[in-house]
């Protein structure tokens, strides 16, 4: 069974930094794209950043220049370095990955349970 577990969330003042991590574990044959999404109260879940196996990056306009996504394929771990945080970055951040559990299975979309990020003004 595949699991994605996020860590690194917390409370930080505006202008501060946090680093999120997402570890994939369980039966994993290969991982394709991985990404971070967030959902603020009363709003829809939105893409923050995404990275493919080949290293292609995609960022939401609101975080460009402040957030950096990276992945360690050897450790099946995804990171999100968040700098210059703003109160509007407050949300639950979710990890997402396209994972092929076995050599004879197809890719499925998996989600973590989320980690809370709160930025105070």
């Amino acid at each position: 069974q595949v699991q994605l577990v996020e860590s690194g969330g917390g409370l930080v003042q505006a202008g501060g930094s946090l680093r999120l991590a997402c570890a994939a574990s369980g039966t994993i044959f290969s991982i394709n794209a991985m990404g971070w999404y967030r959902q603020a109260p009363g709003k829809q879940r939105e893409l923050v950043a995404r990275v493919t196996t080949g290293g292609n990056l995609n960022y939401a306009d609101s975080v460009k220049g402040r957030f950096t996504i990276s992945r360690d394929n050897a450790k099946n771990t995804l990171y999100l370095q968040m700098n210059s945080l703003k109160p509007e970055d407050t949300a639950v951040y979710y990890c997402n990955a396209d994972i092929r559990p076995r050599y004879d299975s197809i890719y499925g979309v998996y989600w973590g349970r989320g980690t809370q990020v709160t930025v105070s003004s």
Side-chain angles (χ1 to χ4, degrees), residues 4 22 24 31-35 50 95-99 108-112:
L4 298 177
C22 169
I31 302 177
N32 197 353
M34 301 182 78
R50 193 161 173 83
C95 176
N96 163 282
D98 299 334
I99 297 175
V109 178
Y110 294 83
W111 291 90

Side-chain angles (χ1 to χ4, degrees), residues 64-120:
K64 284 181 180 177
R66 299 188 299 123
F67 291 9
T68 302
I69 189 171
S70 61
R71 61 190 286 177
D72 184 332
N73 292 325
K75 296 182 178 179
N76 288 339
T77 301
L78 180 70
Y79 302 97
L80 185 68
Q81 178 66 43
M82 305 186 294
N83 299 327
S84 302
L85 282 160
K86 303 176 181 180
E88 51 263 45
D89 294 318
T90 295
V92 178
Y93 283 71
Y94 297 91
C95 176
N96 163 282
D98 299 334
I99 297 175
R100 186 179 176 188
R102 292 158 36 111
Y103 74 95
D104 59 350
S105 62
I106 61 174
Y107 280 97
V109 178
Y110 294 83
W111 291 90
R113 292 188 174 185
T115 185
Q116 176 70 46
V117 171
T118 302
V119 184
S120 63

Side-chain angles (χ1 to χ4, degrees), residues 6 9 12 17 32 39 51 55 57 63-64 67-68 85-86 108:
E6 302 96 337
V12 64
S17 298
N32 197 353
Q39 188 166 18
V51 56
L57 306 175
V63 307
K64 284 181 180 177
F67 291 9
T68 302
L85 282 160
K86 303 176 181 180

Side-chain angles (χ1 to χ4, degrees), residues 32-52:
N32 197 353
M34 301 182 78
W36 291 98
Y37 289 73
R38 68 186 180 187
Q39 188 166 18
K43 295 187 177 181
Q44 289 189 332
R45 191 173 297 189
E46 63 176 1
L47 172 69
V48 176
R50 193 161 173 83
V51 56
T52 67

